[in-house]
Coordinates of all heavy atoms in Angstrom, one line a residue:
S8 N -10.0 146.2 19.3 CA -10.6 146.9 18.2 C -12.0 147.2 18.7 O -12.7 146.4 19.2 CB -10.7 146.0 16.9 OG -9.4 145.9 16.3
V9 N -12.4 148.5 18.5 CA -13.8 148.9 18.8 C -14.5 149.1 17.4 O -14.1 149.8 16.5 CB -13.8 150.3 19.5 CG1 -15.3 150.7 19.8 CG2 -13.0 150.2 20.8
I10 N -15.6 148.3 17.3 CA -16.3 148.3 16.0 C -17.8 148.8 16.2 O -18.3 148.7 17.4 CB -16.3 146.9 15.3 CG1 -17.0 145.9 16.2 CG2 -14.9 146.5 15.0 CD1 -17.3 144.5 15.6
G11 N -18.4 149.1 15.1 CA -19.8 149.5 15.2 C -20.1 150.5 14.0 O -19.2 151.0 13.4
P12 N -21.4 150.7 13.7 CA -21.8 151.5 12.6 C -21.5 153.0 12.9 O -21.2 153.4 14.0 CB -23.3 151.3 12.4 CG -23.7 150.8 13.8 CD -22.6 150.1 14.4
S13 N -21.6 153.8 11.9 CA -21.5 155.3 12.1 C -22.5 155.7 13.1 O -23.6 155.3 13.1 CB -21.8 156.0 10.7 OG -20.8 155.7 9.8
G14 N -22.0 156.6 14.0 CA -22.8 157.1 15.1 C -23.0 156.2 16.3 O -23.8 156.5 17.2
S15 N -22.3 155.1 16.4 CA -22.5 154.1 17.5 C -21.7 154.6 18.7 O -22.0 154.1 19.8 CB -22.0 152.8 17.1 OG -20.6 152.8 16.7
G16 N -20.9 155.6 18.6 CA -20.2 156.1 19.8 C -18.7 155.8 19.9 O -18.0 156.1 20.9
K17 N -18.1 155.2 18.8 CA -16.7 154.8 18.8 C -15.7 155.9 19.1 O -14.9 155.8 20.0 CB -16.3 154.1 17.5 CG -17.2 152.9 17.2 CD -16.6 152.1 16.0 CE -16.4 152.8 14.7 NZ -17.7 153.3 14.2
S18 N -15.9 157.0 18.3 CA -15.0 158.2 18.5 C -15.2 158.9 19.9 O -14.2 159.3 20.5 CB -15.1 159.2 17.4 OG -14.6 158.7 16.2
T19 N -16.4 158.9 20.3 CA -16.7 159.5 21.6 C -16.0 158.7 22.7 O -15.4 159.2 23.7 CB -18.2 159.6 21.9 OG1 -18.8 160.4 20.9 CG2 -18.5 160.1 23.2
L20 N -16.1 157.4 22.6 CA -15.5 156.4 23.6 C -14.0 156.7 23.7 O -13.4 156.9 24.8 CB -15.7 155.0 23.2 CG -15.1 153.9 24.1 CD1 -15.9 153.7 25.3 CD2 -14.9 152.6 23.4
L21 N -13.3 156.8 22.5 CA -11.9 157.0 22.5 C -11.5 158.4 23.1 O -10.6 158.5 23.9 CB -11.4 157.0 21.0 CG -10.2 156.1 20.8 CD1 -10.4 154.7 21.2 CD2 -9.7 156.2 19.3
R22 N -12.3 159.4 22.7 CA -11.9 160.8 23.2 C -12.3 161.0 24.7 O -11.7 161.9 25.3 CB -12.6 161.8 22.3 CG -12.0 161.9 21.0 CD -12.9 162.6 20.0 NE -12.1 163.1 18.8 CZ -11.6 162.3 17.8 NH1 -11.9 161.0 17.9 NH2 -11.0 162.8 16.8
A23 N -13.1 160.2 25.2 CA -13.4 160.3 26.7 C -12.2 159.8 27.5 O -12.1 160.1 28.7 CB -14.7 159.5 27.0
I24 N -11.4 158.9 26.9 CA -10.3 158.3 27.7 C -9.3 159.3 28.2 O -8.9 159.2 29.3 CB -9.6 157.2 26.8 CG1 -10.6 156.0 26.6 CG2 -8.4 156.7 27.5 CD1 -10.2 155.0 25.6
N25 N -8.9 160.2 27.3 CA -7.9 161.2 27.8 C -8.6 162.6 27.9 O -7.9 163.6 27.8 CB -6.7 161.3 26.9 CG -7.0 161.6 25.4 OD1 -8.2 161.6 25.0 ND2 -5.9 161.8 24.6
R26 N -9.9 162.6 28.0 CA -10.7 163.8 28.3 C -10.5 164.9 27.2 O -10.5 166.1 27.4 CB -10.2 164.4 29.6 CG -11.4 165.1 30.3 CD -11.2 165.4 31.8 NE -12.3 166.2 32.3 CZ -12.2 167.5 32.4 NH1 -11.2 168.2 31.9 NH2 -13.3 168.1 32.9
L27 N -10.4 164.4 25.9 CA -10.6 165.3 24.8 C -12.0 165.9 24.7 O -12.3 166.9 24.1 CB -10.2 164.7 23.5 CG -8.7 164.4 23.3 CD1 -8.4 163.7 22.0 CD2 -7.9 165.7 23.4
I28 N -12.9 165.1 25.3 CA -14.3 165.6 25.5 C -14.7 165.3 26.9 O -14.2 164.3 27.5 CB -15.3 164.9 24.5 CG1 -15.3 163.4 24.7 CG2 -15.1 165.3 23.1 CD1 -16.5 162.7 24.2
P29 N -15.4 166.2 27.6 CA -15.9 165.9 28.9 C -17.1 164.9 28.9 O -17.9 164.9 27.9 CB -16.4 167.2 29.4 CG -16.8 168.0 28.2 CD -15.9 167.5 27.1
I30 N -17.1 164.0 29.8 CA -18.3 163.0 29.9 C -19.4 163.6 30.7 O -19.2 164.6 31.5 CB -17.8 161.7 30.4 CG1 -17.2 161.8 31.9 CG2 -16.8 161.0 29.5 CD1 -16.9 160.5 32.5
S31 N -20.6 163.1 30.5 CA -21.8 163.6 31.2 C -22.1 162.9 32.5 O -22.7 163.4 33.4 CB -23.0 163.5 30.2 OG -22.7 164.0 29.0
G32 N -21.6 161.7 32.6 CA -21.8 160.9 33.8 C -20.9 159.7 33.9 O -20.3 159.3 32.9
G33 N -20.7 159.2 35.1 CA -19.8 158.1 35.3 C -18.4 158.5 35.6 O -18.1 159.7 35.8
T34 N -17.4 157.5 35.6 CA -16.0 157.8 35.9 C -15.1 157.0 34.9 O -15.4 155.9 34.6 CB -15.7 157.4 37.3 OG1 -16.7 157.9 38.2 CG2 -14.3 157.9 37.7
V35 N -14.1 157.7 34.4 CA -13.0 157.1 33.6 C -11.8 157.0 34.5 O -11.3 158.0 35.0 CB -12.7 157.9 32.3 CG1 -11.6 157.2 31.6 CG2 -14.0 158.0 31.5
W36 N -11.2 155.8 34.6 CA -9.9 155.6 35.4 C -8.8 155.3 34.4 O -9.0 154.4 33.6 CB -10.1 154.5 36.4 CG -11.1 154.7 37.4 CD1 -12.5 154.6 37.3 CD2 -10.9 155.1 38.8 NE1 -13.2 154.9 38.5 CE2 -12.2 155.2 39.4 CE3 -9.8 155.5 39.5 CZ2 -12.4 155.6 40.7 CZ3 -10.0 155.8 40.9 CH2 -11.3 155.9 41.4
L37 N -7.7 155.9 34.5 CA -6.5 155.6 33.7 C -5.3 155.4 34.6 O -5.0 156.3 35.4 CB -6.2 156.7 32.7 CG -5.0 156.6 31.9 CD1 -5.1 155.4 30.9 CD2 -4.7 157.9 31.1
D38 N -4.7 154.2 34.5 CA -3.6 153.9 35.4 C -3.8 154.1 36.9 O -3.0 154.7 37.5 CB -2.4 154.7 34.9 CG -1.0 154.1 35.3 OD1 -1.0 152.9 35.6 OD2 0.0 154.8 35.3
G39 N -5.0 153.8 37.3 CA -5.3 153.9 38.7 C -5.8 155.3 39.2 O -6.1 155.4 40.4
Q40 N -5.9 156.3 38.3 CA -6.3 157.6 38.7 C -7.5 158.0 37.8 O -7.6 157.6 36.6 CB -5.2 158.6 38.5 CG -4.0 158.4 39.4 CD -2.9 159.4 39.1 OE1 -3.2 160.6 38.8 NE2 -1.7 159.0 39.3
T41 N -8.4 158.8 38.4 CA -9.6 159.3 37.6 C -9.1 160.3 36.6 O -8.3 161.2 36.9 CB -10.6 159.9 38.5 OG1 -10.1 161.0 39.3 CG2 -11.2 158.9 39.5
V42 N -9.7 160.3 35.4 CA -9.4 161.3 34.4 C -10.5 162.3 34.3 O -10.3 163.4 34.0 CB -9.2 160.6 33.0 CG1 -8.9 161.6 31.9 CG2 -8.2 159.5 33.0
S43 N -11.7 161.8 34.6 CA -12.9 162.6 34.3 C -13.0 163.9 35.1 O -13.7 164.8 34.6 CB -14.2 161.7 34.5 OG -14.0 160.7 35.5
N44 N -12.3 164.0 36.2 CA -12.3 165.3 36.9 C -11.0 166.0 37.0 O -10.8 166.8 37.9 CB -12.9 165.0 38.4 CG -12.0 164.0 39.1 OD1 -11.1 163.5 38.6 ND2 -12.5 163.7 40.4

């Protein structure tokens, strides 16, 4: 469970996982492969 107040970044975190939103920096790996690029 990801918890936190409104505006803490919960939805952004979730949507970065399958690239529903592009990230600004860093790398997301899913099942051994990068998603972010």
